Amino acid sequence: MADAAPAKRTPSDFLKDVIGRRVVVQLRTGTTFRGVLASLDGFMNIAMEQTEEWKDGHLSSKLGDAFIRGNNVLYISAVKKRG
Amino acid sequence: MADAAPAKRTPSDFLKDVIGRRVVVQLRTGTTFRGVLASLDGFMNIAMEQTEEWKDGHLSSKLGDAFIRGNNVLYISAVKKRG
Amino acid sequence: MADAAPAKRTPSDFLKDVIGRRVVVQLRTGTTFRGVLASLDGFMNIAMEQTEEWKDGHLSSKLGDAFIRGNNVLYISAVKKRG
Amino acid sequence: MADAAPAKRTPSDFLKDVIGRRVVVQLRTGTTFRGVLASLDGFMNIAMEQTEEWKDGHLSSKLGDAFIRGNNVLYISAVKKRG
Amino acid sequence: MADAAPAKRTPSDFLKDVIGRRVVVQLRTGTTFRGVLASLDGFMNIAMEQTEEWKDGHLSSKLGDAFIRGNNVLYISAVKKRG
Amino acid sequence: MADAAPAKRTPSDFLKDVIGRRVVVQLRTGTTFRGVLASLDGFMNIAMEQTEEWKDGHLSSKLGDAFIRGNNVLYISAVKKRG
Amino acid sequence: MADAAPAKRTPSDFLKDVIGRRVVVQLRTGTTFRGVLASLDGFMNIAMEQTEEWKDGHLSSKLGDAFIRGNNVLYISAVKKRG
């Protein structure tokens, strides 16, 4: 996607594109979540599935379904699709 | 739930699904609460029952009924049902 | 209360139930207050009586009547009634 | 006041009762102010007289009249009247 | 001013009284400013003249005119008039 | 651009000028992002492409497309065009 | 300007006076920016030119044009004009 000159995607377009995909969600506290982005709401609250909590580069717990409050989110990035 | 292609659950759908269930509530301060999620309000304030306060992986106190202010919540995850 | 299937108590129902009772109020700063919850307002500001300030598990001062600002409150839990 | 069953005092009733009295104002930063509570406004901004600034249990400066911003206030407690 | 029984001065009355006078402005970050309070606005933003920045009790820089953002202000106190 | 006397560019003019260019985005947490600024919204949320996350002066991860929450942004600066 | 009795300059008058001049912008995080204040908006967001980032008294990077988010600004002071 980064190759072709991108149509003007707003930040929320970007978020819609990654719903249902595996993402990394980094929080201000340093905690990172890996899993499937199920949905977001207008406050950036996030519902994730197959959620893994990572701290200092180590898997600290498997949470399954998780609700993450939006006001602590630092960034969300899409995990590159394999193949 | 993670297997079947999920109907589009919003974050608040997720929260409604876990009311009455055992949950883990992680706060920004590092404190974790385990117990039954009795209810939530629009500010993410939480009423919990059979509430246990955990710090650094240790049970620090049994609180019974507790009211937790929403603005410190980092995430809420459902504890997997046994069997 | 935790035994019978609870009628759906909202978080503010929970707070109304503990007015006049002995409670523990934990603040984000780590300070804990023990005393009688006299009243609350819509901003979660709290008026307490017979207030004790505890730090790191030690009684640090007896404050009598105290007004506690709501935006620092982490949680409020009811102290179990004796007998 | 703590003995007789108190009429239902709201937190702001409590604050009105202590205007003109000697109070302790504790801030989130750990700083404590002792002095006479001259007035408060709707944002919990405070005007104090005969103000003393205390840090780590020591008197650090005598400020006379001081304006204290409300958003840093942790709690306000009335100093018990002598005799 | 502290001797005569003060007419009921609101916090903003206090601030108006010290405009044009030498004041100490303490910020949440620990930085202190000394200088002449030229003006304030509704957000507690401050314009100061002959401004000195003090850190840990030492003069760290002379700023002349300075604009200080209101949301970091902890307190403002009037420096006692000499003689 | 800095040589000719600039027409009065507002901060948002500045941001519009750097859309599509390589930028540095510094967050309050100390994390720095380098990449192409794809778009911004009214809350300063940022969509970036070819995003690199830098910590303490070292490249810590390549994120590809990333959504960065606006409330943690400290500054955005344009990387000088080569040649 | 500090000698003659100043007409009543509001804080935003002060800011308008320093547009186009060399200023120091101190952020809450401890970072300092030196450069030409190109413009400000109602949220105190700042566009600067010839921007230098200073940390702990040392020049850490030359940013050229930079957009600085207003909510982290501690103070802005005008650098004294030479001669």
Side-chain angles (χ1 to χ4, degrees):
Chain A
M1 187 205 68
D3 313 327
K8 224 178 98 43
R9 290 194 317 163
T10 66
S12 71
D13 292 337
F14 168 81
L15 289 178
K16 281 180 206 128
D17 289 353
V18 294
I19 288 187
R21 284 183 54 187
R22 293 196 68 80
V23 292
V24 172
V25 177
Q26 172 82 42
L27 300 192
R28 275 199 284 202
T29 57
T31 302
T32 303
F33 294 99
R34 293 171 174 277
V36 175
L37 179 62
S39 62
L40 291 140
D41 65 20
F43 300 102
M44 284 281 310
N45 294 318
I46 293 171
M48 277 183 96
E49 293 163 6
Q50 308 163 38
T51 318
E52 296 176 348
E53 181 188 29
W54 290 67
K55 287 183 184 173
D56 303 325
H58 302 285
L59 174 62
S60 59
S61 50
K62 293 203 169 202
L63 303 175
D65 293 353
F67 169 96
I68 298 167
R69 272 215 71 190
N71 63 342
N72 302 299
V73 170
L74 208 57
Y75 70 75
I76 301 173
S77 72
V79 171
K80 288 193 180 152
K81 292 175 186 164
R82 283 192 202 104
Chain B
M1 188 203 69
D3 314 323
K8 224 180 97 40
R9 290 195 318 163
T10 65
S12 72
D13 293 338
F14 168 82
L15 290 178
K16 281 180 206 128
D17 289 353
V18 293
I19 288 187
R21 285 183 54 188
R22 291 197 68 79
V23 293
V24 172
V25 177
Q26 172 82 41
L27 300 191
R28 276 198 285 202
T29 58
T31 302
T32 304
F33 294 99
R34 294 171 175 276
V36 175
L37 179 62
S39 61
L40 291 139
D41 65 20
F43 300 101
M44 285 281 311
N45 294 318
I46 293 171
M48 278 183 96
E49 293 163 6
Q50 308 162 38
T51 319
E52 295 176 347
E53 181 188 27
W54 290 66
K55 287 184 183 172
D56 304 324
H58 301 285
L59 174 63
S60 60
S61 50
K62 293 202 167 202
L63 303 174
D65 292 353
F67 169 97
I68 298 166
R69 271 215 71 190
N71 63 342
N72 302 300
V73 170
L74 208 58
Y75 70 74
I76 301 174
S77 72
V79 172
K80 287 192 181 157
K81 292 175 185 162
R82 285 192 200 103
Chain C
M1 188 204 67
D3 314 324
K8 224 180 96 40
R9 289 196 319 166
T10 65
S12 71
D13 293 338
F14 167 82
L15 290 178
K16 281 181 206 126
D17 288 353
V18 294
I19 288 186
R21 284 183 54 188
R22 291 197 67 79
V23 292
V24 172
V25 177
Q26 172 81 44
L27 300 192
R28 276 197 286 202
T29 58
T31 302
T32 304
F33 294 99
R34 293 171 175 275
V36 175
L37 179 61
S39 60
L40 291 140
D41 65 21
F43 300 102
M44 285 281 308
N45 293 318
I46 293 171
M48 278 183 95
E49 293 163 7
Q50 308 162 38
T51 319
E52 294 176 349
E53 181 188 27
W54 290 66
K55 287 184 184 173
D56 304 324
H58 301 285
L59 175 62
S60 60
S61 50
K62 293 202 168 202
L63 303 175
D65 292 353
F67 168 96
I68 298 166
R69 271 214 72 190
N71 62 343
N72 302 300
V73 170
L74 208 57
Y75 71 76
I76 301 174
S77 71
V79 172
K80 288 193 181 157
K81 292 174 186 163
R82 285 192 200 103
Chain D
M1 186 205 66
D3 314 323
K8 224 181 96 43
R9 289 195 319 163
T10 65
S12 72
D13 293 338
F14 168 82
L15 290 178
K16 281 181 208 127
D17 289 353
V18 294
I19 287 186
R21 284 184 53 188
R22 291 196 68 80
V23 292
V24 172
V25 176
Q26 173 82 42
L27 301 191
R28 277 199 284 203
T29 58
T31 303
T32 304
F33 294 99
R34 294 172 174 275
V36 175
L37 179 61
S39 60
L40 291 139
D41 64 20
F43 299 102
M44 284 282 309
N45 294 318
I46 293 171
M48 277 182 95
E49 292 163 8
Q50 307 163 39
T51 319
E52 294 176 348
E53 180 188 27
W54 289 67
K55 289 183 184 173
D56 304 324
H58 302 285
L59 175 62
S60 60
S61 50
K62 293 203 168 201
L63 303 175
D65 292 353
F67 169 96
I68 298 167
R69 272 214 71 189
N71 62 343
N72 302 299
V73 170
L74 208 58
Y75 70 76
I76 301 173
S77 72
V79 171
K80 287 192 181 157
K81 292 175 186 163
R82 283 190 202 107
Chain E
M1 188 204 66
D3 312 326
K8 222 181 101 39
R9 290 194 319 162
T10 66
S12 72
D13 293 337
F14 168 82
L15 290 177
K16 280 180 209 129
D17 288 353
V18 294
I19 287 186
R21 284 183 53 188
R22 291 197 68 80
V23 292
V24 172
V25 177
Q26 172 83 41
L27 301 192
R28 276 198 284 202
T29 58
T31 302
T32 304
F33 293 100
R34 293 171 174 277
V36 175
L37 179 62
S39 60
L40 291 140
D41 65 20
F43 300 102
M44 282 283 308
N45 294 318
I46 292 171
M48 278 183 95
E49 292 163 8
Q50 307 164 37
T51 318
E52 295 176 347
E53 180 188 28
W54 290 67
K55 288 184 183 172
D56 303 324
H58 301 285
L59 175 62
S60 60
S61 51
K62 293 204 168 201
L63 303 176
D65 292 353
F67 168 96
I68 298 166
R69 272 214 71 190
N71 62 343
N72 302 299
V73 170
L74 208 59
Y75 71 74
I76 301 173
S77 72
V79 171
K80 287 192 181 156
K81 292 175 188 164
R82 283 190 202 107
Chain F
M1 186 207 69
D3 313 326
K8 226 180 96 42
R9 290 194 319 162
T10 65
S12 72
D13 292 338
F14 168 83
L15 289 178
K16 280 180 208 130
D17 289 354
V18 293
I19 288 186
R21 284 183 54 188
R22 292 197 68 79
V23 292
V24 172
V25 177
Q26 172 82 41
L27 300 192
R28 276 199 285 202
T29 57
T31 302
T32 304
F33 293 99
R34 293 171 174 277
V36 175
L37 179 62
S39 60
L40 291 141
D41 65 20
F43 299 101
M44 283 281 310
N45 294 318
I46 293 171
M48 277 183 95
E49 293 163 7
Q50 306 163 38
T51 319
E52 296 175 347
E53 181 188 28
W54 288 68
K55 288 183 183 172
D56 303 324
H58 302 285
L59 175 62
S60 60
S61 50
K62 292 203 169 203
L63 303 175
D65 292 354
F67 168 96
I68 299 166
R69 272 215 71 190
N71 63 342
N72 303 298
V73 171
L74 209 57
Y75 71 75
I76 301 173
S77 71
V79 171
K80 287 193 181 156
K81 292 175 188 164
R82 282 191 203 105
Chain G
M1 189 205 65
D3 312 326
K8 226 183 95 43
R9 290 195 318 163
T10 66
S12 71
D13 293 338
F14 168 83
L15 290 178
K16 279 179 209 130
D17 289 353
V18 294
I19 287 186
R21 284 183 53 189
R22 291 197 68 79
V23 293
V24 172
V25 177
Q26 173 81 43
L27 300 192
R28 275 198 284 201
T29 58
T31 303
T32 303
F33 293 99
R34 293 172 175 276
V36 175
L37 179 61
S39 60
L40 291 140
D41 65 21
F43 299 101
M44 283 282 309
N45 294 318
I46 293 171
M48 276 183 97
E49 293 163 8
Q50 307 164 38
T51 318
E52 296 176 347
E53 180 187 28
W54 289 68
K55 288 183 183 173
D56 303 324
H58 301 285
L59 175 63
S60 60
S61 51
K62 293 203 168 201
L63 304 175
D65 292 354
F67 168 96
I68 298 167
R69 271 214 70 189
N71 63 341
N72 302 299
V73 170
L74 208 59
Y75 70 76
I76 301 173
S77 72
V79 172
K80 287 193 181 156
K81 291 175 189 166
R82 283 191 202 105

